[in-house]
Amino acid sequence: MKITLDITSQDFDYLTSMQMRWAGTDWEQKEGRFELFDGSLHISGDQISYGWSFVHWVATYADYILVRAYLQSMPAHAYQAVFDGATDDIAILTDYAGSWSD
């Protein structure tokens, strides 16, 4: 079965529970906290990349599916999904900023 939805950037922001900068921070020092999520690596390689610009957390698998679909609809926005053992959430690593502002 296939379902077609229109997901907006505002929907993306509502689906994510938190967002932060990823690159240039101390996330790499917390390496054991994260593990690749369910084979969902959408870039080459099998390691967590600390070069992504942003991280967005989602609380449920349903939220992850919708956020993933939104990112996949934009060819310029690759991503990598990881499980965050500290929050028990799925974290999406990407260069997509969402509504982030400094």
Side-chain angles (χ1 to χ4, degrees):
M1 174 173 32
K2 182 176 181 175
I3 298 171
T4 303
L5 298 170
D6 290 323
I7 302 171
T8 67
S9 59
Q10 185 176 25
D11 295 329
F12 179 93
D13 289 334
Y14 287 139
L15 289 165
T16 58
S17 57
M18 182 173 35
Q19 53 185 285
M20 294 182 177
R21 286 228 179 259
W22 182 255
T25 62
D26 66 346
W27 289 113
E28 195 165 0
Q29 297 170 5
K30 301 173 184 178
E31 184 175 355
R33 172 177 169 171
F34 302 97
E35 59 188 67
L36 290 176
F37 178 71
D38 196 24
S40 63
L41 185 62
H42 294 278
I43 58 167
S44 59
D46 61 355
Q47 299 295 316
I48 296 171
S49 172
Y50 294 93
W52 296 107
S53 297
F54 299 96
V55 56
H56 305 268
W57 282 265
V58 294
T60 69
Y61 186 71
D63 292 342
Y64 166 69
I65 290 171
L66 293 170
V67 165
R68 178 184 69 188
Y70 179 75
L71 290 173
Q72 288 174 336
S73 74
M74 299 180 299
H77 292 292
Y79 69 94
Q80 185 178 32
V82 296
F83 177 75
D84 182 345
T87 64
D88 289 335
D89 290 337
I90 302 166
I92 296 100
L93 313 176
T94 182
D95 291 330
Y96 178 70
S99 63
W100 176 269
S101 62
D102 285 330

